[in-house]
Amino acid sequence: MCGITGFLGGARFESSTEDVALLSSMNGQLIHRGPDDEGVYFDPDSRVGLGHRRLSILDVSPLGHQPMKSAGGRYTMVFNGEIYNHLELRKQLQQLNSMIAWRGRSDTETLLAGFEAWGIKKTIEQTIGMFAIAVWDRTSQVLTLIRDRMGEKPLYYGWHGSGSRRVFLFGSELKAMKSHPSFSSEIDRGAICLLLRHNAIPAPHSIYRDTFKLNPGCLLTVSTRCPEPQIETYWSLSRVANSGVHSPFAGSPDDAVDKLEVLLQDAVGRQMQADVALGAFLSGGIDSTLIAAIMQSQSTRPVKTFTIGFNQSDYNEAVHAKAVAKHLGTDHTEMYVSPEQAMDVIPQLPKIFCEPFSDSSQIPMFLVSQLARKSVTVSLSGDGGDELFAGYNRYAMTHEQWHRLAVVPRRIRTIVAKLLTSFSPSTWNKLGYFVRNHRSIGDKLHKAAGVLDSRSADELYYRLISHQNRPEEWVLGVQEPISKLVGYAKEFQSLSDVERMMAMDAVSYLPDNILVKVDRAAMAVSLESRVPFLDHRTVEFAWTLPLTFKMRNGKTKWPLRQLLYRHVPQQIVERPKMGFTPPLSLWLRGPLRDWAEALLSEDRLRNEGYLNPAPIRRKWLEHQSGTRNWAYELWDVLMFQAWLECQQDSFNCQRA
């Protein structure tokens, strides 16, 4: 795992040493992603510069140093990620050219040899891995950026500056690009709207105008002769989903579990390859337990597993993780986090995430990464299982209830929604005191009222995933941009309602939220994260499984559960789904109240000029009174405000 950055074009300095110094400065912003080594490449004639920070995982010797040139000298590359099948690719390349003399054991060298033998696109199509790559072709004078299929690794890009200072910048994180003097830091107000809806800023948008995220599965080419970036899709989840649904797996449900076991055993085995210590995040849920179980089945020593817990029982998964670890025989480390420890992370979040990001599970994700990094350099996670095997509650609700709800005239559903919201959540909580699982029943009923009058399953989905349904009412002077979900809904029209939800989560929520959270939190402490479920062969197989295989006998993620029961007794892992989130609503009414009040003060919001104070103050006061739980909507605003404060402080420091 590493950090990459660089530029193409831009103003000429009197000496190339100034360009090299600039590259080193950009590189320096990524030291947390690669503390073990650094390197830069600059071609003064072509005005291209590549920077790399290295976290040594495979071939930790100097032979893995980047930027790296191909043997023939045509290509120079910087690479963030891992290619898990690079040794097989080497064998194929050796068959084509028995004279290849490998200098080291790095997958970087394998890719470069592939580029020379097959070309860039054909090489990438043969890979199994996660990656963000920048490769300079000296012959064609073209810079190519590539992002992995599911979006595990980040990659930003954009043209900045004007005239002779106009330069194409790229980087693993925005902070590297911002170190270039031509970078424009104009905030995109439309991106703030997207943040308030999705609690993340979805690709291709970023918080800054003229700066974009490369979408997963895409390859971008750019040159000074052809400055308009040309983007090509080399792998598409849309094609995979539609193809899989229309050409389904022909075997039985039990056959599907057997096939899935073969794929996951191979994916996990490949991702356990490392020349450094390796472990796994373990929550005790279905997905992380299955990954840890497969790891342990392939290891001769106890696998190191890690979890954190909260003392509030409603938010604590550590007890379940400990039971799983004991059964599997892993070398388990747990840490119970006090509210003070968790809240100490909050001031670091704007720097960790570079742009506003407001999934509150970012806090425990950082803490568990910090815990793991004390013992290992690589950690595997169970992310992706929900999107591939129908694990989220919204899938089950749509599957079980939407077809019944849809036959009720919308006018009647609207009336019912108004009746539900005629009582405050606190009143409903009192009325529902003796109802089983009554906790926060008022908030749940109000949320249900918000989706009752949906016109379609697509509208239902969009409302369920939205924190704010009208974010432009909170952001001044802008209309909300159309997100990619709207376009993808059309691409997935041939899928069933639930499959369409799963597919849209896989192209948006997974890469734009889940994988951003995991990457930034882990890399902030120089920890490489790997996600076996996102091996593209497993993804492609999962989409051939009929929905009746995934939601079966009243259970979601049926194939994963059946496979897990081969390793762990059912009673250890069968429990209600619990999110990996801190008790945010309580904190905002207690120890975080003063901090939040300062960020949300009416005068401050008005003076900054980005957000409308009226609806925000109303939600804040309702939350403080206990009449409503607006913790997640307020957290979106607070994370923007904290990020904005961090940018202003940095600007003031630079000016001083």
Side-chain angles (χ1 to χ4, degrees), residues 158-427:
W159 282 99
H160 286 264
S162 59
S164 64
R165 291 171 57 86
R166 188 156 175 78
V167 61
F168 182 84
L169 302 172
F170 69 89
S172 297
E173 297 183 19
L174 287 170
K175 56 173 69 79
M177 296 171 65
K178 287 181 66 178
S179 292
H180 195 285
S182 291
F183 186 86
S184 171
S185 297
E186 183 183 353
I187 292 174
D188 183 348
R189 291 172 183 262
I192 306 174
C193 285
L194 294 172
L195 171 73
L196 298 186
R197 183 179 291 279
H198 300 289
N199 76 5
I201 300 172
H205 303 277
S206 85
I207 190 60
Y208 295 117
R209 292 177 61 85
D210 301 322
T211 302
F212 308 95
K213 304 181 185 87
L214 187 61
N215 271 314
C218 287
L219 180 153
L220 177 153
T221 54
V222 66
S223 68
T224 53
R225 294 192 306 271
C226 183
E228 183 65 29
Q230 304 298 306
I231 299 177
E232 180 181 3
T233 301
Y234 68 86
W235 187 92
S236 164
L237 189 125
S238 175
R239 290 196 295 264
V240 167
N242 282 292
S243 174
V245 168
H246 292 109
S247 301
F249 180 70
S252 68
D254 289 335
D255 293 335
V257 176
D258 292 339
K259 174 66 173 177
L260 179 62
E261 181 171 31
V262 172
L263 286 169
L264 284 178
Q265 288 279 0
D266 185 69
V268 170
R270 290 177 183 275
Q271 296 194 24
M272 289 177 69
Q273 298 173 12
D275 294 334
V276 293
L278 177 143
F281 299 131
L282 179 62
S283 70
I286 300 295
D287 304 335
S288 67
T289 300
L290 180 55
I291 296 302
I294 294 175
M295 289 177 70
Q296 191 58 69
S297 72
Q298 298 190 31
S299 177
T300 57
R301 296 179 296 177
V303 170
K304 295 180 182 295
T305 54
F306 307 92
T307 191
I308 63 165
F310 295 100
N311 290 314
Q312 295 95 331
S313 60
D314 288 340
Y315 299 89
N316 185 38
E317 293 187 300
V319 173
H320 308 290
K322 187 174 184 178
V324 166
K326 182 178 180 181
H327 177 83
L328 293 176
T330 67
D331 178 5
H332 190 59
T333 302
E334 66 176 14
M335 179 179 72
Y336 274 78
V337 178
S338 69
E340 292 74 23
Q341 287 174 297
M343 288 182 289
D344 283 345
V345 175
I346 293 172
Q348 304 176 54
L349 295 177
K351 295 180 181 178
I352 291 172
F353 286 89
C354 279
E355 62 180 345
F357 180 84
S358 51
D359 182 334
S360 60
S361 60
Q362 62 199 136
I363 298 172
M365 187 69 237
F366 174 78
L367 289 167
V368 76
S369 298
Q370 196 174 52
L371 176 67
R373 188 62 179 93
K374 295 175 181 178
S375 304
V376 301
T377 308
V378 178
S379 187
L380 276 62
S381 82
D383 294 296
D386 287 314
E387 290 82 1
L388 294 178
F389 296 96
Y392 291 128
N393 292 332
R394 56 180 170 266
Y395 305 152
M397 185 201 73
T398 302
H399 181 67
E400 296 166 5
Q401 302 296 336
W402 172 248
H403 66 283
R404 300 173 186 171
L405 188 63
V407 300
V408 178
R410 185 166 175 261
R411 179 173 56 85
I412 295 175
R413 289 187 272 130
T414 301
I415 293 171
V416 173
K418 289 180 178 178
L419 288 173
L420 289 175
T421 55
S422 64
F423 293 97
S424 70
S426 57
T427 300

Side-chain angles (χ1 to χ4, degrees), residues 3-7 41 48-52 66-68 75-80 108 111-112 115 120 124 131-137 142-147 154-156 168-172 214 220 222:
I4 65 173
T5 190
F7 58 77
Y41 163 85
V48 63
L50 306 177
H52 185 264
Q66 296 184 46
M68 185 181 291
Y75 299 102
T76 304
M77 185 174 84
V78 286
F79 166 44
N80 166 29
T108 311
L111 284 176
L112 285 165
F115 295 163
I120 293 175
I124 293 300
F131 44 82
I133 298 171
V135 55
W136 172 246
D137 183 340
V142 170
L143 176 67
T144 300
L145 304 183
I146 317 162
R147 193 175 179 201
L155 191 52
Y156 293 86
F168 182 84
L169 302 172
F170 69 89
S172 297
L214 187 61
L220 177 153
V222 66

Side-chain angles (χ1 to χ4, degrees), residues 198-199 359 386-387 390-402 447 451 457-458 460-467 485 497-506 508-510 513-514 547 551 556 577:
H198 300 289
N199 76 5
D359 182 334
D386 287 314
E387 290 82 1
Y392 291 128
N393 292 332
R394 56 180 170 266
Y395 305 152
M397 185 201 73
T398 302
H399 181 67
E400 296 166 5
Q401 302 296 336
W402 172 248
K447 185 173 182 179
V451 299
D458 289 341
L460 171 69
Y461 167 76
Y462 204 53
R463 290 187 179 188
L464 286 172
I465 64 163
S466 297
H467 280 203
L485 288 180
D497 291 339
V498 174
E499 288 168 331
R500 195 157 57 253
M501 289 183 174
M502 293 167 56
M504 289 193 289
D505 276 341
S508 184
Y509 179 62
L510 180 62
N513 184 315
I514 301 296
L547 188 60
M551 307 180 79
T556 60
K577 190 175 182 64

